[in-house]
Amino acid sequence: MRQWAPWFRVPALLLFLSALTATFAPPVPTARAQVLIPAEALADEHLLEQLLLQGQQLEQQRRWGEALSHYEQALREHPERRELQQRLTVARIHFDIGRRYGDSSFLASLIRLSEQEALDVYTEVLLKIQAHYVEEPNWHQLVQRGAMNMEVALSEPVFVERNLPNAAPERIAAYSRDSQRTLASRAVRGRQEARDMVASAASLAAQQLGMSPQAVIMEYTCGATGALDEYSTYLTGTQLEDVFSQIEGNFVGLGIELKAESRSLLIVSVITGGPAQRGGIRAGDRIVEVDGKSTNDISTDTAADMLKGIEGSSVDLVVVSPDNNSRRLRLRRERVEVPSVEGVKLLDREQGIGYFRLSSFQKTTSRDVDAALWKLHHEGMRSLIIDVRGNPGGLLTASVEVADKFVSAGTIVSTRGRSPREDFDYKAHQVGTWRVPLIVLIDGDSASASEIFAGAIHDHRRGTVVGQRSYGKGSVQGIFPLNVSTAGVRLTTAKFYSPSGQPISHRGVSPDIVVRTAAKPIGETNQPPADQDDPVLKAGLQVARQQLSQR
């Protein structure tokens, strides 16, 4: 098991929105209290309606990746709104189904597994949840979420085309009613009862729809992990390989990070030395065609999956730059080394202010940070700025190792789980500690392992944290390969706490110096801006210069 603070989304389920209505009775002579609705509340309700409307439009166009991103961002701004959480859940299920049915490793497993073996996969997943998940599982909820997965799957074209090519809609509707009635009539109090319920649902689908029981069982399996929290999930064989590649710091691909946006694939960042950079692709470009398929004709999720392939194979792209110039490229998929330390340099040579950016925490990060520190030391570093803005996380141990380079004693982070095996206090070691004055830059996209690092620096008063409050992802995930299938699960196994004992979840790390920045325009990447246009970096430089002047 690997500990991972990740960097890394139907008719019966339609959300019915009730408009706010007010019925005013005629005035009566007796005194009555007047209820006034604050203008701020009305504005908030109007904003919520707009957010839901925008999400509904993305859903109607089946742009599930974009819908997922939309609801995630909306929930960060309005975490108390259940309507947004409901839509996020449905969008995530649609998105995950699309990814699974575009994944050759998952499709191969549907063919290879027998019904009994599929049930064994489900049982093994439940066993791992029972043994490792941070909270005691609610077995009935896990089965309910599996039923919800099935309900959404029955409205998803890729699922229906593969599993129910000739089923009449009325037969599908009848199956949904019968399976829901069965679930409502039976309590699920443990793993065996959950297995029995899923076996019944699979048998019912085979009888009424002629569907493969394995397809039903796997939806219940994926639903069980999805019911736990937003970070726990079932990993197909390919996804499991991708996770381990991220841990190792290399993968086969084009060397780009993307996100779906406006019926295209926006290039968020490009890895130095990778096939994409050598082909002239830059952050801010958009991919609008993959192997002759326009992103207007296929979903962006499908287009993104088409970029994957074996090492040495090629892919044809049409790329549009920010100034709307388009060009055709053929890129070769290669093994790409992902740097976790970037931009190592002296920002102010006269005063010796060093800088580097930590983009992720992986196996090579500690070694890469050592190399950066010694390079800057030989160039005359007297102060250091470490930038973890946009850093979504990675290995817990890597973040501890980096913090340990600057914190001489005490706790760096504590983890607490349901199992005593997950309770651990990670301590600093005095040997090898760098004493250089330190500034850490964070933002709302600094999450997980980067929050462990920033929280340790902040709580030990080892440096000055500058920027905006971090994301607030304070949980640890374990990666568990399955024995029955060449797949795995990612499960939240513990919560982590900063050295002062503060939980990171939903709180984040608050900077010592807050720097307000303008909201990002649509299409802007998560890459930090150029030095001259970067108010957070300017504030960090100012702190470094003030500290040096006082020494």
Side-chain angles (χ1 to χ4, degrees):
M1 185 269 285
R2 306 261 193 148
Q3 281 191 318
W4 181 248
W7 49 56
F8 334 68
R9 296 188 200 293
V10 279
L13 295 172
L14 287 177
L15 177 67
F16 294 95
L17 299 177
S18 56
L20 288 175
T21 59
T23 303
F24 297 96
V28 293
T30 54
R32 303 188 65 170
Q34 185 177 12
V35 179
L36 298 177
I37 300 176
E40 294 84 355
L42 290 173
D44 190 59
E45 290 300 323
H46 177 70
L47 177 58
L48 176 65
E49 288 180 9
Q50 291 300 310
L51 289 170
L52 288 168
L53 179 61
Q54 292 167 13
Q56 185 182 37
Q57 291 170 345
L58 292 170
E59 290 184 38
Q60 289 172 346
Q61 297 169 22
R62 311 198 71 82
R63 293 157 63 180
W64 297 113
E66 294 171 63
L68 185 55
S69 297
H70 169 77
Y71 289 126
E72 285 176 339
Q73 181 60 39
L75 264 175
R76 288 183 63 182
E77 298 170 4
H78 306 276
E80 75 289 350
R81 303 310 299 238
R82 291 186 61 191
E83 307 97 314
L84 293 172
Q85 182 60 60
Q86 289 168 347
R87 299 318 305 159
L88 173 65
T89 298
V90 174
R92 178 174 284 119
I93 294 173
H94 276 285
F95 178 73
D96 287 343
I97 290 171
R99 288 193 67 189
R100 284 196 296 276
Y101 276 82
D103 185 328
S104 59
S105 67
F106 178 77
L107 297 179
S109 71
L110 288 180
I111 297 171
R112 183 180 66 255
L113 293 173
S114 66
E115 180 179 355
Q116 184 63 43
E117 288 170 334
L119 282 170
D120 290 343
V121 170
Y122 182 71
T123 302
E124 185 180 2
V125 168
L126 295 187
L127 182 60
K128 291 192 182 300
I129 291 172
Q130 185 176 38
H132 301 288
Y133 188 62
V134 67
E135 297 174 0
E136 190 74 33
N138 182 317
W139 301 108
H140 196 82
Q141 287 182 358
L142 299 193
V143 177
Q144 280 184 321
R145 178 59 181 268
M148 185 179 181
N149 263 51
M150 265 304 298
E151 197 71 28
V152 173
L154 292 172
S155 73
E156 187 58 46
V158 292
F159 181 91
V160 174
E161 288 170 10
R162 182 172 183 89
N163 297 300
L164 294 166
N166 302 311
E170 55 271 19
R171 289 174 57 200
I172 294 176
Y175 165 77
S176 295
R177 289 193 300 271
D178 290 346
S179 60
Q180 289 170 9
R181 190 180 303 116
T182 301
L183 179 59
S185 66
R186 292 166 60 180
V188 182
R189 293 167 295 233
R191 284 189 292 116
Q192 186 59 49
E193 290 182 354
R195 178 187 170 114
D196 292 344
M197 181 69 78
V198 171
S200 296
S203 176
L204 185 66
Q207 293 170 11
Q208 295 190 358
L209 301 175
M211 187 192 302
S212 159
Q214 293 89 311
V216 179
I217 295 165
M218 292 311 298
E219 287 309 310
Y220 275 86
T221 302
C222 296
T225 55
L228 300 171
D229 58 54
E230 60 188 301
Y231 306 113
S232 298
T233 188
Y234 178 85
L235 298 169
T236 68
T238 299
Q239 291 168 345
L240 185 64
E241 289 178 5
D242 288 345
V243 168
F244 287 137
S245 293
Q246 290 174 345
I247 292 172
E248 298 293 337
N250 64 76
F251 66 95
V252 172
L254 304 179
I256 51 178
E257 178 188 352
L258 348 124
K259 69 174 180 178
E261 192 169 270
S262 302
R263 291 195 174 277
S264 65
L265 298 174
L266 174 68
I267 308 296
V268 175
S269 63
V270 182
I271 295 173
T272 302
Q277 189 200 45
R278 297 199 308 272
I281 291 180
R282 300 290 180 265
D285 287 349
R286 295 175 183 272
I287 296 174
V288 297
E289 185 179 302
V290 182
D291 282 339
K293 302 285 188 180
S294 169
T295 53
N296 284 321
D297 301 327
I298 60 174
S299 71
T300 48
D301 304 334
T302 300
D305 287 334
M306 290 173 65
L307 296 177
K308 301 175 183 177
I310 62 173
E311 186 172 6
S313 61
S314 296
V315 61
D316 293 318
L317 307 175
V318 174
V319 178
V320 177
S321 59
D323 59 5
N324 287 325
N325 286 325
S326 66
R327 58 198 187 277
R328 292 187 176 274
L329 299 171
R330 172 168 288 186
L331 299 180
R332 187 172 179 269
R333 299 178 181 95
E334 300 174 4
R335 184 158 296 280
V336 179
E337 297 294 327
V338 184
S340 61
V341 177
E342 301 174 303
V344 183
K345 58 187 173 182
L346 286 179
L347 292 176
D348 185 329
R349 288 193 170 274
E350 184 177 341
Q351 297 201 48
I353 301 174
Y355 168 93
F356 61 79
R357 178 173 179 252
L358 272 173
S359 58
S360 63
F361 288 92
Q362 57 199 39
K363 266 192 171 183
T364 62
T365 300
S366 180
R367 180 192 68 203
D368 295 343
V369 168
D370 282 339
L373 288 170
W374 283 110
K375 177 180 185 295
L376 292 171
H377 173 73
H378 292 311
E379 293 177 359
M381 174 180 65
R382 297 174 58 226
S383 178
L384 176 62
I385 298 173
I386 298 180
D387 192 344
V388 293
R389 289 175 293 171
N391 181 328
L395 283 174
L396 181 151
T397 51
S399 65
V400 170
E401 289 168 354
V402 174
D404 194 15
K405 298 180 192 300
F406 302 98
V407 177
S408 59
T411 299
I412 291 174
V413 68
S414 299
T415 61
R416 298 290 182 267
R418 181 163 56 93
S419 167
R421 297 191 303 270
E422 302 297 338
D423 296 348
F424 197 81
D425 297 321
Y426 293 85
K427 301 287 187 179
H429 306 85
Q430 188 163 0
V431 176
T433 301
W434 289 76
R435 309 288 180 180
V436 60
L438 186 62
I439 295 93
V440 177
L441 309 184
I442 64 173
D443 66 5
D445 293 317
S446 303
S448 194
S450 56
E451 293 177 286
I452 291 175
F453 171 70
I457 300 302
H458 176 273
D459 285 8
H460 283 288
R461 300 184 182 278
R462 174 57 186 85
T464 304
V465 180
V466 178
Q468 300 94 44
R469 184 170 66 89
S470 64
Y471 184 86
K473 191 266 173 190
S475 58
V476 180
Q477 279 68 50
I479 308 300
F480 301 91
L482 299 178
N483 296 318
V484 181
S485 175
T486 55
V489 289
R490 182 172 64 215
L491 300 176
T492 298
T493 58
K495 304 287 186 180
F496 64 76
Y497 300 82
S498 72
S500 64
Q502 295 299 312
I504 299 296
S505 285
H506 307 298
R507 295 169 59 111
V509 176
S510 297
D512 299 301
I513 298 175
V514 178
V515 181
R516 304 292 181 192
T517 58
K520 294 178 183 176
I522 293 176
E524 186 171 312
T525 72
N526 287 328
Q527 293 270 75
D531 295 356
Q532 65 271 20
D533 302 320
D534 189 343
V536 178
L537 183 55
K538 286 180 180 178
L541 272 167
Q542 184 178 358
V543 171
R545 288 166 178 152
Q546 289 174 347
Q547 290 176 344
L548 290 171
S549 68
Q550 295 169 3
R551 296 186 75 183

